[in-house]
Every structure is written in structure tokens, then in C-alpha cells.
Amino acid sequence: MVQKVVIAALIGGLLAGCNDSATAQDQGQKQAEIPKEHTVEFYMHNFAASMRTETKCMKHPELAETPECIAVKKAVNRKNAELRMPPKYPEVEDGGK
């Protein structure tokens, strides 16, 4: 079971990396277009952004209550539910909404 999750995460990370722009100019434009706060749906479909934001939220506990961190935590919980795993962040459970 754990192997399946790890494999799925690795494949998702590789696929998310394929979407990255190749040039520095494209990267600058891309960052300017990204809103400061993302929705749960955004994180559900953007594995790399989800991992970056979750890591940032874990490293900086003072950000835990920001909309961005709450959204990424809810997305992680939904992904876990899809894999029939318990929620990683029960404090932000929304009943599957």
C-alpha cells in the first residue's frame, strides 16, 4: 500500500515537472500570473505546487492558519481519502466538501 502511494507521488511529481517552462523569462511571467492564494482544487491538480506549499507551511508554523496552508492541507486530506487513507490534517477536515 505504501509502495503504491510512493510510486503515485513520484509519477505525479515527474509529470508535474514536465509542465514547467524552459526559460527564465517564461518562469518570471509564470510566477507573476500565479495568485497568492490557491484553492483546494488547484492543489488537487498541481502536485508540485502542493508539495512546495505543504513544505513551506510545515517549515513555518506561523503560516498554518493562512488560507493557502489551509487549502493545501484540505487537498492533502482529499488525496488521502481517494487512496482510502486517514486524513493527514484532521484539524482542517471539511467533511469532503
Side-chain angles (χ1 to χ4, degrees):
M1 175 75 170
V2 174
Q3 282 183 324
K4 289 180 182 179
V5 172
V6 171
I7 290 170
L10 289 173
I11 291 171
L14 290 173
L15 292 175
C18 294
N19 292 332
D20 289 341
S21 298
T23 66
Q25 183 179 9
D26 289 341
Q27 288 292 332
Q29 290 173 349
K30 187 176 178 182
Q31 286 187 355
E33 296 170 2
I34 296 175
K36 186 171 176 107
E37 297 171 6
H38 294 293
T39 64
V40 175
E41 288 73 26
F42 172 84
Y43 289 121
M44 289 289 294
H45 300 290
N46 293 281
F47 180 76
S50 175
M51 293 299 293
R52 280 192 305 270
T53 304
E54 184 181 14
T55 300
K56 179 179 77 173
C57 294
M58 290 171 62
K59 284 184 178 181
H60 303 282
E62 66 274 10
L63 301 175
E65 297 302 318
T66 62
E68 201 170 15
C69 290
I70 292 170
V72 78
K73 289 175 182 180
K74 286 182 178 183
V76 168
N77 284 349
R78 286 190 192 174
K79 283 291 185 186
N80 281 0
E82 288 177 1
L83 297 169
R84 299 177 194 251
M85 296 172 58
K88 183 174 180 180
Y89 301 103
E91 68 273 13
V92 296
E93 266 304 292
D94 59 358
K97 296 178 188 174

